[in-house]
Amino acid sequence: MADLRQALVSEVAGEVRFDEGARALYATDGSNYRQVPIGVVIPRTTDDIVATVEICRRHEAPILARGAGTSLAGQCCNVAVVIDGSKYVHGVLALDASERWARVLPGTVLDTLRGAANRRGLTFGPDPATHAYCTLGGMLGNNSCGPHSVMAGRTSDNVEELEVLTYDGLRLRVGATTPQELERIIQAGGRRGEIYRGMRDLRDRFADLIRTRYPKLPRRVSGYNLDDLLPENGFHVARALVGSEGTLVTVLEARLRLVPWPAHRALLVIGYPDIFAAADHVPALQSGDGATSSDPWQRPIAIEAVDDLLVSTVKAKHLADAALRLLPRGRAFLLVEFGADTPDACAARARQACASVLRTRGAVDARVLSGLEQQHHVWSLRESALGATARDPAGKNAWEGWEDSAVPVEKLGAYLRELKRTLAAHGYQASLYGHFGQGCVHTRIPFDFGSRAGVANYRAFMQEATDLVVGFGGSFSGEHGDGQARAEYLPKLFGKELVEAFRQFKRIWDPAWRMNPGKVVDAYGSTENLRLGPDFVARESATHLATHFAFPDDGGSFVRATERCVGVGKCRRLDGGTMCPSFMVLKDEEHTTRGRAHLLFEMVRGERLQGWKDDQVKQSLDLCLACKGCKGECPVGVDVATYKAEFLAHYYQGRLRPRAAYVMGLIQRWARLARVAPGLANLVAHAPGLHRLVKRAAQIAPQRELPRFAARMFTEQFAAAKASRARETSREKLVLWPDTFTNHFYPAVGMSAAAVLTELGWLVLVPEQPVCCGRPLYDWGMLKAAKRRVVETLRVLREPLRAGLPIVVLEPSCLSVWKDEARSLFPHDPDVRRLGAQAMLFSEFLARADVPLPRLAGKALLHGHCHEKALGGTDSERKVLERLGLTVETPDAGCCGMAGGFGFERGEKYDVSVRAAERRLLPAVRAAQPDTTIVSDGFSCREQISQLGGRRARHIAELVHDAMVTAKSGRGPDLRARWDMPARVSIGAMAVVVVVTVLGLLTAIRRNRANGRKT
């Protein structure tokens, strides 16, 4: 390994990673399997891939080319050198709209190609649910499909030509081959001629068996595509290689077929009494009800299904609440999509089908959705299925293994009834959904891999399930491939002779047997290499280690929390959503939610990583912004922010933390100290020359400007205003939470909120004692101090909590502590539960309250805080702004990048912070018109927008107060002048600071000299 690594480092321009952290990251994919790789190469160019293969050949090392790592059958993990081209080797090289083709590199994300093609009225037909992050190289390896394969077929059906590289170094372009060309290649000899001769002879020897034994259905993905070598299929070598799961060649480039894409779409959602009735109705829908070939859009372009179990799981997890409100009556549903060149034609076709459906026996109800937003919501329900069903609301895991069988469409209903009976006979209950338009059924089943009896039951089920699908003329895999999950059962489907043909086909291309060995052909058994098999024993110290968080959703176990990730890969998205900001800018697997969860899981195993003190785990977690995007967007609820806080608490036990931790983690303490002389504190932090020393000492980025302390705290100003008013006790009471940032830096926000709530009729109570939620403490793992903050808060709020008073919060990150972290620190404390239930954002409180609001004119650009999005989104802010009369734009800007103290730290964290902001947020801010109000409730977000975007963002409380003052006086207030004036200091005080600083330095120098130390 040392020699191999050294050769790769010397000859490959890309990144070569043989450290234990990188090997742990790539030890598993989206499957049940785990194999630690030899090392990882992240090539920068195609030449890097060629060089990597050549070096591996010299060292006789196996290789595995991997895309997004979402494969479900184990084909993306192996004891091999993993080549991950997704970071650099991507791009659409050419696109010919008239000829309808595109040339792409293998690391290109599918949606990148689809976006380029859509702009020309075209698309790449196969579109699995992972379309936002799966790579085309991975799709070529798996022969991926998706909902619109009804319209366009599998990936193999859409490949025109491939440039491939063999393990022995031959680089060639392959595609359809005429008989004359085939003979010329063979006669030319050499390694290429040898390969083509071998394929021709193999085809001739097995042609009759291929024609008779291959299942006749559009979703046959199992086995090799030897049928594409038949004369009637044009001896299409490229298509024969698609779906070979990296076991034959490495793909360097692909020329892909594009198909017309309708400009408009409508979605018909049909409700049925059960999933079987839905399946029975698919053939009639598929026929297009008398459609003619003259109109390409007469038939549906997609027919998908979801059942009652999936819907109930999604509902319980709140993964697609908007979609659930759009479903018609029924317990199972078909999603039937129609396309057309005009919206009227599209809607008319959907309505015609709807009327026909409602006349059909079996359907309960139907609904046509023409709006793009409504359609998007319902499609999100379908796309959330894999993650939603991976763990049910009760916390029970379900697994792949029999997740994508396919049968002829006309037999689908009967097959599902038998499959359901087979599941029940083995004690399994599972959701059934999927690509019913082509007879492909997706499911995740609660197999028990943790006990030998459970594994034996799984094997017995697999024997019956494979027999069942063969009896229906189907395929074990209709989308995800065989890998090692189903490869051992291939003789049932194809017969021993054709399995021998697969073996010979591999030998033709890979005689050294070094390409992803042990998958598809002569594969590992379906119960070998299990990630969580009965032999898996979690590291004893981790299993019984007392943690600060109770992990109530994981049975109180940090170990079980690390097992949440099932490799869906949604965290690899580069566009849309919040998860995961550091991956979006760095594009490294270690910065995905999945990568961090996998590293923690490997840490728990204790085989490769060094427990709580492991530096590679810390390195990955260091660039986690703790934005909690994963908490809200990961379909299985992986919560890296919490895992990071727990890890750092143990990592730093007995160690000093970085200086930045004590500066920013203890901000409440410093703010209370600055209260004595806020002007002096501002002077020290901003005086010319001195501020550079302060930032260097505190490890703060020199580009950052430190927030200025206000002249008077919010609590002081509120107390003074309260004293000037007669006390009113008859009105309803609420508590306004004085968070540290509002209290010490932006009291105008607190005063605005208090004024609004008072004007609307509430008696506002503000705690007089110094209080803080402790949010910054979690980012540094200071969990003992964080617990003390929760205890202090409960002591202050005990009476209001038990009286049931609302707790109105202005800072979203504070609310996340009360609703999430505090519950996990004190899961059995009734006051913590009360606090989580009674606390709400200012905007949420106003949105719920039935009170009139004054009107403002104009536009608002709304940026939601990440923690706010994780807790349920920014709907309440939008509603309040719209009630104010503002036109609201909410760009999908993701994380602002500041994330509390993260963006203030010098070095890589500052760089990531800026790049995260520059992705979407700052361009949107700069593009906003001067009269557009920038709105953001998060202190961090407002600082980022101000410092990098040059605009002052407003808290929604300030806007509502503006509207009230304007309504009364006819002109807006200058709140900053009234409440937000930064504290200043005199020239005399400045002189005192300089003198004291110089005396302190001289004293330190004298002391060091006396002790023989350098200063």
Side-chain angles (χ1 to χ4, degrees):
M1 281 180 63
D3 291 345
L4 172 61
R5 178 189 174 280
Q6 185 56 48
L8 289 167
V9 169
S10 301
E11 301 178 46
V12 173
E15 302 167 26
V16 177
R17 302 179 179 179
F18 274 53
D19 58 275
E20 295 295 351
R23 297 175 69 204
L25 277 171
Y26 288 82
T28 189
D29 50 9
S31 72
N32 299 326
Y33 303 101
R34 172 186 178 270
Q35 291 177 277
V36 180
I38 296 168
V40 180
V41 174
I42 302 176
R44 290 186 179 272
T45 63
T46 298
D47 288 343
D48 269 356
I49 298 176
V50 175
T52 298
V53 173
E54 195 276 328
I55 294 165
C56 287
R57 181 172 68 256
R58 293 202 312 254
H59 290 80
E60 300 183 3
I63 63 171
L64 162 60
R66 167 168 152 151
T70 59
S71 295
L72 299 177
Q75 56 266 63
C76 276
C77 55
N78 213 327
V79 182
V81 173
V82 174
I83 302 174
D84 179 0
S86 64
K87 185 174 181 180
Y88 301 115
V89 190
H90 55 78
V92 179
L93 302 177
L95 194 154
D96 189 320
S98 60
E99 296 292 328
R100 296 181 181 173
W101 58 260
R103 282 195 306 114
V104 300
L105 292 172
T108 308
V109 170
L110 171 58
D111 271 3
T112 301
L113 172 60
R114 293 175 74 208
N118 288 170
R119 289 190 288 272
R120 295 164 174 83
L122 302 170
T123 194
F124 184 65
D127 58 340
T130 54
H131 55 82
Y133 45 92
C134 70
T135 67
L136 288 160
M139 292 181 67
L140 291 164
N142 279 1
N143 201 3
S144 300
C145 302
H148 293 101
S149 55
V150 167
M151 175 182 74
R154 302 166 298 174
T155 295
S156 59
D157 301 318
N158 294 275
V159 171
E160 301 292 354
E161 184 181 75
L162 296 177
E163 183 182 7
V164 299
L165 176 69
T166 64
Y167 185 79
D168 52 19
L170 179 65
R171 186 170 175 176
L172 70 164
R173 290 187 179 273
V174 297
T177 317
T178 66
Q180 296 79 15
E181 186 182 3
L182 176 59
E183 287 306 314
R184 282 198 303 271
I185 294 171
I186 292 173
Q187 291 304 316
R191 177 68 176 122
R192 187 185 186 205
E194 176 187 323
I195 290 173
Y196 274 74
R197 181 188 298 276
M199 289 192 293
R200 181 199 62 185
D201 294 346
L202 181 73
R203 175 202 66 184
D204 292 345
R205 193 158 55 250
F206 292 99
D208 290 340
L209 271 176
I210 292 170
R211 291 186 180 101
T212 57
R213 288 301 300 263
Y214 269 56
K216 303 297 188 292
L217 70 163
R219 282 301 189 98
R220 194 276 308 156
V221 176
S222 285
Y224 289 143
N225 296 337
L226 299 185
D227 51 336
D228 281 306
L229 297 179
L230 295 173
E232 58 266 33
N233 294 326
F235 201 84
H236 207 304
V237 179
R239 293 180 181 179
L241 292 174
V242 173
S244 55
E245 303 179 16
T247 62
L248 304 178
V249 296
T250 299
V251 175
L252 303 178
E253 188 182 299
R255 186 159 70 91
L256 305 174
R257 179 173 71 103
L258 303 177
V259 297
W261 184 236
H264 302 276
R265 290 172 297 283
L267 188 63
L268 170 61
V269 187
I270 313 170
Y272 293 90
D274 54 47
I275 196 66
F276 313 119
D280 290 338
H281 197 200
V282 169
L285 289 164
Q286 195 182 45
S287 70
D289 194 20
T292 63
S293 59
S294 60
D295 184 348
W297 309 124
Q298 282 293 304
R299 293 184 176 86
I301 61 174
I303 304 177
E304 298 290 296
V306 296
D307 72 350
D308 57 323
L309 287 177
L310 173 57
V311 170
S312 62
T313 301
V314 167
K315 183 177 182 180
K317 293 185 175 185
H318 301 286
L319 293 176
D321 290 343
L324 300 178
R325 293 190 289 270
L326 297 170
L327 296 177
R329 291 179 296 112
R331 290 176 53 80
F333 305 91
L334 288 182
L335 316 181
V336 187
E337 187 177 56
F338 294 93
D341 293 327
T342 67
D344 291 343
C346 190
R349 182 69 190 100
R351 285 195 296 269
Q352 179 186 348
C354 182
S356 176
V357 161
L358 293 176
R359 292 194 300 267
T360 302
R361 185 176 178 182
V364 174
D365 195 9
R367 184 175 184 183
V368 174
L369 304 176
S370 297
L372 289 179
E373 186 175 3
Q374 291 180 323
Q375 294 178 50
H376 172 75
H377 287 320
V378 175
W379 278 119
S380 70
L381 165 64
R382 167 62 187 85
E383 291 179 359
S384 70
L386 191 154
T389 57
R391 178 179 285 205
D392 68 20
K396 189 174 183 180
N397 288 330
W399 307 102
E400 51 277 349
W402 191 249
E403 78 284 350
D404 69 327
S405 55
V407 298
V409 170
E410 61 273 12
K411 300 179 180 180
L412 183 57
Y415 169 67
L416 290 182
R417 291 177 177 90
E418 289 299 322
L419 177 60
K420 201 77 168 179
R421 279 192 279 270
T422 304
L423 287 166
H426 290 269
Y428 303 137
Q429 183 183 44
S431 173
L432 301 174
Y433 61 95
H435 311 297
F436 279 23
Q438 289 192 312
C440 181
V441 182
H442 287 329
T443 184
R444 290 180 76 97
I445 303 171
F447 300 125
D448 172 17
F449 290 121
S451 70
R452 300 197 183 281
V455 171
N457 190 34
Y458 161 71
R459 291 193 66 86
F461 167 80
M462 288 296 288
Q463 291 289 353
E464 293 183 34
T466 50
D467 288 341
L468 180 65
V469 85
V470 169
F472 276 92
S475 171
F476 300 159
S477 175
E479 184 156 30
H480 299 150
D482 300 311
Q484 72 172 88
R486 290 171 288 275
E488 69 172 286
Y489 304 105
L490 289 178
K492 289 186 179 186
L493 182 59
F494 293 101
K496 291 182 179 179
E497 296 90 346
L498 281 179
V499 170
E500 176 58 30
F502 296 161
R503 189 175 291 113
Q504 293 179 27
F505 191 54
K506 178 173 173 62
R507 192 170 290 116
I508 289 168
W509 288 95
D510 178 30
W513 223 260
R514 292 287 190 269
M515 301 291 293
N516 202 13
K519 314 294 176 173
V520 184
V521 176
D522 293 342
Y524 296 103
S526 60
T527 54
E528 293 183 79
N529 306 318
L530 287 174
R531 183 161 60 102
L532 293 172
D535 294 329
F536 167 70
V537 179
R539 186 175 173 183
E540 189 72 14
S541 60
T543 304
H544 295 96
L545 185 67
T547 55
H548 298 276
F549 289 108
F551 300 100
D553 296 329
D554 295 290
S557 168
F558 178 75
V559 176
R560 183 154 163 72
T562 68
E563 296 170 8
R564 269 185 178 267
C565 179
V566 295
V568 173
K570 190 176 179 181
C571 47
R572 288 184 61 92
R573 290 179 310 179
L574 297 175
D575 291 302
T578 302
M579 172 180 70
C580 179
S582 49
F583 173 76
M584 288 181 180
V585 299
L586 298 173
K587 299 180 177 64
D588 283 317
E589 176 71 16
E590 71 175 303
H591 299 305
T592 62
T593 298
R594 179 178 72 179
R596 291 169 177 139
H598 282 176
L599 280 174
L600 289 166
F601 171 76
E602 292 291 328
M603 180 196 83
V604 166
R605 290 186 73 99
E607 297 173 10
R608 299 280 171 184
L609 303 177
Q610 304 304 310
W612 293 117
K613 302 296 183 182
D614 192 276
D615 288 329
Q616 290 178 313
V617 177
K618 179 184 176 293
Q619 176 182 312
S620 172
L621 292 173
D622 256 351
L623 292 184
C624 165
L625 283 76
C627 68
K628 299 183 83 69
C630 50
K631 176 80 173 182
E633 295 177 17
C634 173
V636 291
V638 172
D639 183 5
V640 173
T642 297
Y643 307 163
K644 174 184 179 179
E646 186 69 54
F647 175 85
L648 291 179
H650 297 280
Y651 180 86
Y652 284 118
Q653 189 171 350
R655 297 176 171 178
L656 282 175
R657 290 173 168 81
R659 294 190 300 275
Y662 300 106
V663 173
M664 289 175 277
L666 301 177
I667 183 63
Q668 189 226 11
R669 188 174 298 177
W670 301 120
R672 289 171 64 181
L673 185 62
R675 174 187 177 185
V676 177
L680 192 60
N682 287 340
L683 171 66
V684 171
H686 296 91
L690 190 58
H691 74 93
R692 292 191 181 91
L693 294 176
V694 171
K695 290 176 185 176
R696 181 175 297 178
Q699 296 177 322
I700 291 172
Q703 303 91 329
R704 288 294 185 191
E705 181 180 350
L706 295 173
R708 295 176 184 271
F709 291 98
R712 294 180 72 197
M713 295 189 306
F714 160 57
T715 50
E716 293 175 337
Q717 295 186 45
F718 179 82
K722 179 181 174 182
S724 67
R725 296 192 304 266
R727 186 171 182 83
E728 300 178 65
T729 58
S730 59
R731 294 187 293 173
E732 290 188 59
K733 299 176 182 178
L734 59 79
V735 175
L736 183 60
W737 178 256
D739 65 87
T740 297
F741 303 105
T742 299
N743 200 22
H744 292 276
F745 297 102
Y746 287 106
V749 172
M751 292 301 292
S752 296
V756 168
L757 295 170
T758 301
E759 180 70 21
L760 293 176
W762 280 278
L763 179 60
V764 178
L765 308 177
V766 175
E768 297 177 0
Q769 305 93 320
V771 290
C772 180
C773 71
R775 174 71 257 173
L777 299 170
Y778 295 90
D779 298 337
W780 291 100
M782 298 176 172
L783 296 185
K784 290 182 179 178
K787 288 181 179 179
R788 290 195 293 271
R789 296 288 181 274
V790 175
V791 171
E792 291 167 4
T793 297
L794 294 179
R795 186 163 50 243
V796 171
L797 295 182
R798 182 162 287 116
E799 288 186 17
L801 285 174
R802 295 181 180 180
L805 299 189
I807 313 296
V808 177
V809 181
L810 298 167
E811 174 61 39
S813 59
C814 295
L815 185 67
S816 77
V817 171
W818 304 142
K819 288 189 174 292
D820 190 7
E821 283 88 354
R823 169 178 167 266
S824 191
L825 289 173
F826 299 95
H828 306 299
D829 190 313
D831 282 334
V832 168
R833 289 197 294 271
R834 291 186 184 101
L835 180 54
Q838 291 168 223
M840 66 190 79
L841 287 176
F842 173 83
S843 57
E844 183 183 359
F845 183 81
L846 283 193
R848 290 184 184 183
D850 184 20
V851 293
L853 295 180
R855 305 286 287 180
L856 285 175
K859 298 179 181 179
L861 188 149
L862 172 63
H863 175 71
H865 191 286
C866 293
H867 291 179
E868 183 179 1
K869 297 172 190 172
L871 292 171
T874 58
D875 283 351
S876 62
E877 285 182 289
R878 173 180 280 276
K879 288 176 182 176
V880 171
L881 291 173
E882 288 175 347
R883 282 169 59 187
L884 290 174
L886 295 170
T887 301
V888 185
E889 179 188 355
T890 311
D892 187 3
C895 178
C896 76
M898 185 64 91
F902 182 95
F904 279 97
E905 286 189 65
R906 67 191 314 147
E908 192 172 15
K909 290 186 178 181
Y910 172 78
D911 294 338
V912 169
S913 171
V914 173
R915 291 173 65 183
E918 291 288 359
R919 285 186 60 255
R920 294 282 185 84
L921 175 60
L922 294 183
V925 168
R926 295 182 188 118
Q929 295 297 317
D931 60 349
T932 296
T933 303
I934 313 297
V935 183
S936 186
D937 283 359
F939 170 82
S940 296
C941 307
R942 295 198 300 273
E943 281 296 308
Q944 186 80 307
I945 291 168
S946 171
Q947 295 196 24
L948 299 181
R951 296 283 297 271
R952 183 187 173 219
R954 311 288 303 283
H955 192 286
I956 197 167
E958 296 178 285
L959 288 186
V960 180
H961 186 258
D962 283 358
M964 286 184 168
V965 173
T966 301
K968 286 185 175 182
S969 66
R971 58 187 180 85
D974 184 1
L975 294 183
R976 197 167 185 83
R978 290 174 55 195
W979 292 328
D980 255 358
M981 290 298 294
R984 301 186 183 279
V985 70
S986 66
I987 297 296
M990 184 183 296
V992 171
V993 171
V994 172
V995 170
V996 170
T997 301
V998 171
L999 289 175
L1001 287 172
L1002 292 174
T1003 302
I1005 291 169
R1006 190 165 54 250
R1007 184 183 299 115
N1008 284 349
R1009 284 178 176 172
N1011 293 326
R1013 293 195 302 265
K1014 291 183 178 180
T1015 300

